[in-house]
Every structure is written in structure tokens, then in C-alpha cells.
Amino acid sequence: MDGRKRKLPIGIDDFGKLIREEFYYVDKTGMIEELLHNWGEVNLFVRPRRFGKSLNMSMLQYFFEVGTDRHLFDGLIISEDAELCEEWMGQYPVISLILKDVWGIDYQDAMKQMAATISYEVGRHDYLQESAKLDEADRKMLYDLRMKQGSLEDSLLLLSNVLYKYWGRQVVVLMDEYDVPLQKAEERGYYEDLVAFISRFLRRGMKTNPNIKLSVVTGCLRVAKESIFTGFNNPKMHSIVDTQYDEWFGFTDAEVHRMLDYYEAGEYYEVTKEWYDGYLFGNTQVYCPWDVINWCNQLAVSADRIPQNFWANVSGNDIIRRFADKADKATRDQIALLIEGGSVKKMLRLDLTYKELNDSIENLWSILFTTGYLTQRCRDTDGYYELVIPNREVKNLFMTQVDEWFKDKVLEDTDGLKEFFEAVQSEDAAAMEECLIDYMESSVSYLDGGKVEEKENFYHGLLLGMLANWKGWNVVSNREAGKGRLDIVAYRRKEKYALIIEVKYSGKASDLDADAQEALNQIRKNKYDKVFGRHVPDRIVHYGISFCKTDCRVLKE
């Protein structure tokens, strides 16, 4: 690969740095033109995390702010509209607030973080202190905010006032990840206090404030019922179901094609699409940018060609864990249907408050949708959305959660475990089979889609989790033995007694017997008994176990 190719911008959300240091940039400056041609004084964009919100906000700051380097936009889409650039580029003072770190163990701690955020932004405008256009009261106010001692509730209003006084121009306000403080407050028990603060902060700073020209706010949820947005003047809401701005967050198929070709990885287009595509924003199919950038970097610098769960590992999975904790049998079956490649129809609420999340399991479907764990295929005339898992990456996350459901079930059902162990100890294959079926039927029906090895791995994990709770037994998995790799071996050293288990997945119930027999044949053919070396137990029992959804067959020899 040509060493002179542009670097990939992993973790870089500063537009100026990205352009100046010649990182690869997927041009989203067309958003500026659409924003200004579809005027809204306050604009709220709701998108999942890692879909380019922060980079777009940085782009807006560099475009609007007085004194910007206009050459940053040379050759980009927005530069083609010379008249718009002349009117807007570099013409306005900007207040930029990034709220992702405004949270703490309690309300007071969160307010310290808010004070630090305001202090940093005031520090960006330190030139104001030297201006003859400001009076002593203005300077004292700025000094107090800089020292984290001023009135936080009035800070947005006060800063916009002095910026207007200095520049003689209205202010552009950018507020990124406005809802992170609310999410953290709900988790830590100071939600009501923080909602009250943010409502006052926005009402005093943005409602009928003549010093503000334009505001852009981003978040993951549209929190509309707590009177937070009464602080805005008729905000324009832009969610993932709206067609306006649908191509500016996330990478389109054409953009991903170009990136892969640029890094000489075009042959990986299909696997990239399988793993990281699938989101429908408005009418546009998009990929997760964080995934694509990290995947291209992996292809560029590593010999590893196996896709990774990039987004799932950094987005934070508190929501899906909460969903799992509240899920009943019916909900778990719906999750299984989604994993199989099916869909569920739900009436969604796109204006939930964080406080309402726990009111109903149905609310959590809306959160899974708005935060990117599910996407839509269509909406019917009654307002129901057809929801699906967007891609292989997110599917893997749900499969991991289903694994955890089963493990929890195993750990909770001590009587069932006792019966299963007794069946194994007495070498009663029929009783083992009955116990396994009971576990599966009481938890969640599983998998009629996906690859066979994925299904076998799931059932393999179920058995391993059960046997691992068997006191006095050494249990190992995927051990090299004889001519192959056995699935599970359990050994009780004191009694010199061992089990070897091979797991198969059957495409249909009528194949269960044949597949279980094939599993036994594989143990013999590959001479898995050699796993014990010179320390051969007095008795070794072989089990071939085949699974099909919630059914199974256990054969012994």
C-alpha cells in the first residue's frame, strides 16, 4: 500500500486538525448548505453515538467562526456555493459547548464539570478581557466564569451578550451531546435536579435571546417532555426517521466504496457491508463511520482480515443490559427472532425522557432504535415501525446477550442444575436431554438463521456454562486431542472418571438423531480419548449432543 496515502482519522473530531494534517475526510460540508437553505433558528439533530455528530459540529464551528481559515474548505462541497460562503463563512462569533463530560457521582459533582466546560469556552474568548467595548461588570462576569465561580444558569446568556457587544454580530451556539448529562444523572439518582438546571440554563440563554443568530444541538435522544426545550424558540427536530439531513451523519454506500478503493481494499466491500451497513436514516442507507474507519485501518496495517465489533466495544451497552434485565419470555423470543434475521413491529416513542425508560419494556424498544441497536425497514399506515438488527456487528452483540440470559438461567435454577448433574452422574442420556430442553424452553427460542458454527458455539457455551458449575470437576473446552479439537471434556480426578462431549447443530428436528450419532463418530474417529495422555481415566463416557432450536438429542456410548 502506498505509504503516502492519507491517514485514517481514528478518534479525531477536530475538523481543522483533520484537514490541515491531511487525514482522509468524507466530505459532509453539504450539510452546511442544507442547514442554511432550510432555516431554523434552533436545530436539534438526534443520531446514535459514533455517527459523526461531533466532527460535524466542529466543521460548523470552523465554518462560522470569525477569523476562521477559509482555506480549510477549499475543494469541498460547500466551496462550490461562493455566495453562501461569502455571506456566512467566518462571519459570526461561536459559543461551542461539549457536554459529554458533564456528569459526576452526584449533582454537585456534575455542576463542577459544567463549570469546567463553561470555563474552557470562556477561555477561548480571553481577548474579551482587553476590550474597551466591555465595562467592568462584563469583565468581572467573564473572570468569575473563567474561575468556575460565576452563575452557571446565566452563563450562556451572559457570554452571548458580551460577544455581541464586542463583535456587533449575533452569535452561533453549538451544543454537542446535550443529553449525556441527563442519562448519567438518571443512572446516578440526581435526575430531577439536573433537569431543572438544564431547563433554566437553556431558557435564560436561548429563549428570546436577540443575540443568537443560529443554534445547533446534537444528542442521542430527543428528550422533549421535561420542559427542557421550552428554553428554545420553536426548535426544528431532525431525528433518524426524517428525510432531511439523512446523508450527513453516517457514510453512504458510495462513500464507503470510494474509501475502500482508495486504501486498495475494494475486495472487502461485501464483508464491510455485512458487518457495518444496514442503518436507515430517513431514506438513506448508511454505515457506521466509526466502524468503517477502524476496519479500513485494520486492513491497512494488519494481516488480520477478521472484522471486529468496533462500535459495540465503545458505544457503551448500558441500554441493552437494562433491556436484558427487564425482558420477559415474550421479549426474549422477539430478540431471538431478530437474531434469526426476522423483524418485529413496534409503535415507537421518539420523545421519551430518561426517567420513563423503566416504565415499560415497550419503551426500551424505542431506545434500542434511537441509539442504533435496531434500525427500521419501513413504517406502516398505522405508525408501526418494522424493526431489524442492522448488521452482523450488532447481531453479535445481541447473541452475546442471549448467551448471558442462558447463563443467568443456569445459575438461578439450582434445582434444575442438580437434576442435570444427577442425570450425567447416572449416565442417563434421556434425563440429560429432558433437562436441556427444559432450560431452553423456559429461556428463549434460539436461532433459525446465521451460520451453523455460530449456532454450535451458542449451544457449546450453554453446556460449558452448566458443567462449569459442577463442583469437583475439571472442565475444559476446545482442547487439541488426537486428530482434531474436541468440544468439551469434564474430568473427576479422584474417581478417574471423564466425559467427552461433541456438539452439533441440526438444521431440522428430523436430523437430530443422525447428527448426534455423527458427533459420537467424530469422537471415535479423531481419537479424542488421547487428550488424557498417559493418565487415562478408568472410565470415559462419550456424548454426542445435537440441538435444533429448543430441541435436542443426547446419545451416549
Side-chain angles (χ1 to χ4, degrees):
M1 184 173 290
D2 185 352
R4 294 174 297 176
K5 288 188 181 295
R6 289 178 178 267
K7 304 180 291 292
L8 283 154
I10 297 175
I12 296 176
D13 52 19
D14 184 300
F15 176 81
K17 179 178 180 179
L18 189 148
I19 299 298
R20 290 190 186 101
E21 299 187 17
E22 297 187 336
F23 286 89
Y24 189 97
Y25 177 57
V26 175
D27 190 351
K28 298 295 183 179
T29 60
M31 174 188 173
I32 302 170
E33 186 174 30
E34 186 166 354
L35 180 68
L36 297 177
H37 286 168
N38 296 279
W39 181 256
E41 184 175 330
V42 179
N43 302 271
L44 173 63
F45 292 93
V46 178
R47 296 293 188 278
R49 293 196 173 92
R50 300 294 182 177
F51 272 80
K53 297 190 300 296
S54 294
L55 179 57
N56 280 351
M57 292 291 269
S58 177
M59 171 191 73
L60 293 175
Q61 179 177 340
Y62 276 96
F63 181 82
F64 289 116
E65 192 152 45
V66 175
T68 193
D69 180 358
R70 300 175 69 93
H71 294 298
L72 292 174
F73 295 88
D74 288 350
L76 298 179
I77 293 171
I78 191 62
S79 67
E80 298 172 6
D81 192 333
E83 183 177 344
L84 182 144
C85 289
E86 184 65 27
E87 180 182 356
W88 288 90
M89 188 187 296
Q91 297 300 310
Y92 297 91
V94 172
I95 297 175
S96 175
L97 300 176
I98 302 172
L99 302 189
K100 64 180 179 180
D101 293 324
V102 179
W103 59 276
I105 59 174
D106 54 27
Y107 177 70
Q108 289 72 28
D109 195 21
M111 287 299 95
K112 289 179 182 178
Q113 299 304 319
M114 186 68 183
T117 298
I118 297 297
S119 173
Y120 176 83
E121 185 58 17
V122 171
R124 278 203 326 115
H125 300 282
D126 265 352
Y127 58 86
L128 294 170
Q129 286 285 6
E130 308 302 322
S131 174
K133 298 178 181 179
L134 274 59
D135 57 29
E136 284 303 314
D138 294 328
R139 294 190 185 90
K140 177 65 166 57
M141 177 274 299
L142 290 171
Y143 177 82
D144 288 345
L145 291 176
R146 188 76 174 92
M147 294 297 105
K148 308 174 188 176
Q149 297 172 353
S151 170
L152 293 180
E153 292 180 354
D154 295 325
S155 58
L156 182 57
L157 173 64
L158 295 172
L159 184 55
S160 65
N161 282 343
V162 295
L163 284 170
Y164 180 80
K165 186 181 293 188
Y166 179 87
W167 291 104
R169 306 175 193 177
Q170 290 176 298
V171 176
V172 171
V173 175
L174 305 175
M175 190 176 301
D176 193 21
E177 300 200 62
Y178 86 97
D179 59 331
V180 170
L182 295 169
Q183 178 189 347
K184 299 297 184 180
E186 193 275 331
E187 293 171 1
R188 290 164 173 78
Y190 56 92
Y191 188 76
E192 299 295 343
D193 288 337
L194 194 69
V195 166
F197 164 76
I198 290 183
S199 297
R200 292 192 295 268
F201 174 76
L202 294 177
R203 182 170 63 252
R204 295 180 184 181
M206 300 181 76
K207 188 170 187 179
T208 64
N209 184 347
N211 301 315
I212 294 180
K213 178 71 173 180
L214 172 73
S215 300
V216 179
V217 183
T218 71
C220 289
L221 286 186
R222 171 185 163 183
V223 184
K225 283 195 170 184
E226 285 139 330
S227 75
I228 289 174
F229 294 128
T230 59
F232 291 169
N233 292 328
N234 300 316
K236 295 184 72 172
M237 305 289 188
H238 307 291
S239 74
I240 55 178
V241 303
D242 297 320
T243 56
Q244 267 195 330
Y245 307 100
D246 56 5
E247 64 181 292
W248 306 125
F249 299 88
F251 291 167
T252 65
D253 195 64
E255 289 166 344
V256 171
H257 256 303
R258 285 195 293 271
M259 182 181 290
L260 290 171
D261 288 343
Y262 178 82
Y263 290 103
E264 300 173 19
E267 64 190 286
Y268 293 97
Y269 167 74
E270 292 298 335
V271 70
T272 304
K273 189 173 185 66
E274 176 189 0
W275 274 77
Y276 308 124
D277 190 18
Y279 298 93
L280 184 65
F281 291 176
N283 291 329
T284 300
Q285 199 84 12
V286 296
Y287 296 68
C288 174
W290 176 255
D291 285 330
V292 176
I293 291 171
N294 278 276
W295 172 232
C296 283
N297 183 67
Q298 178 179 320
L299 294 174
V301 303
S302 171
D304 184 358
R305 295 300 188 258
I306 299 175
Q308 307 296 316
N309 290 348
F310 301 110
W311 179 81
N313 290 336
V314 299
S315 65
N317 298 318
D318 294 341
I319 295 296
I320 195 170
R321 291 192 186 99
R322 184 181 308 194
F323 186 86
D325 290 341
K326 294 183 71 68
D328 55 16
K329 177 65 167 58
T331 302
R332 295 183 181 193
D333 285 348
Q334 289 175 315
I335 291 294
L337 176 63
L338 291 168
I339 293 173
E340 292 170 7
S343 63
V344 297
K345 282 192 172 184
K346 295 291 178 181
M347 180 71 74
L348 301 179
R349 293 182 57 191
L350 302 181
D351 60 350
L352 279 170
T353 70
Y354 278 103
K355 189 177 180 181
E356 293 175 312
L357 295 188
N358 292 320
D359 291 351
S360 167
I361 188 66
E362 291 301 309
N363 288 346
L364 286 168
W365 287 104
S366 300
I367 302 303
L368 288 175
F369 174 64
T370 56
T371 53
Y373 292 97
L374 298 175
T375 191
Q376 63 158 321
R377 286 291 172 263
C378 62
R379 181 173 58 171
D380 65 23
T381 54
D382 294 324
Y384 283 85
Y385 288 86
E386 182 181 355
L387 303 180
V388 296
I389 293 175
N391 52 45
R392 177 75 174 275
E393 179 187 37
V394 182
K395 174 184 171 181
N396 285 353
L397 180 63
F398 276 103
M399 290 173 67
T400 299
Q401 186 59 62
V402 172
D403 282 342
E404 292 179 5
W405 281 337
F406 269 106
K407 290 173 184 175
D408 290 344
K409 168 67 178 175
V410 168
L411 292 174
E412 292 169 2
D413 189 0
T414 55
D415 290 338
L417 270 181
K418 182 179 179 182
E419 291 177 4
F420 177 72
F421 294 152
E422 288 174 352
V424 175
Q425 191 75 54
S426 62
E427 300 178 13
D428 187 340
M432 289 171 60
E433 187 177 295
E434 184 177 348
C435 288
L436 290 171
I437 292 172
D438 284 345
Y439 270 118
M440 291 183 290
E441 287 184 341
S442 63
S443 298
V444 58
S445 59
Y446 188 71
L447 284 187
D448 191 29
K451 297 181 179 179
V452 170
E453 58 267 28
E454 293 174 349
K455 303 168 188 176
E456 288 185 358
N457 288 340
F458 171 79
Y459 293 110
H460 180 150
L462 169 63
L463 281 169
L464 194 62
M466 297 174 74
L467 292 169
N469 288 282
W470 201 359
K471 293 182 180 179
W473 288 73
N474 295 317
V475 182
V476 296
S477 173
N478 292 319
R479 179 65 59 85
E480 293 286 348
K483 299 179 181 180
R485 181 185 292 271
L486 59 78
D487 280 342
I488 300 173
V489 58
Y491 179 47
R492 197 170 181 90
R493 189 178 302 277
K494 185 176 181 180
E495 287 86 359
K496 295 184 178 180
Y497 179 72
L499 318 173
I500 294 177
I501 301 174
E502 186 67 24
V503 178
K504 296 291 182 185
Y505 178 80
S506 300
K508 49 188 178 181
S510 58
D511 293 336
L512 284 169
D513 287 303
D515 290 335
Q517 187 59 56
E518 181 186 344
L520 284 177
N521 295 342
Q522 183 174 325
I523 294 173
R524 286 196 309 272
K525 180 181 177 181
N526 290 338
K527 300 180 179 179
Y528 286 159
D529 287 7
K530 289 189 175 183
V531 71
F532 300 105
R534 293 176 298 172
H535 306 287
V536 180
D538 292 342
R539 179 166 176 74
I540 304 174
V541 182
H542 299 166
Y543 288 97
I545 306 181
S546 57
F547 292 89
C548 179
K549 297 185 179 179
T550 58
D551 201 359
C552 73
R553 189 72 69 247
V554 180
L555 297 183
K556 179 199 75 172
E557 68 175 19

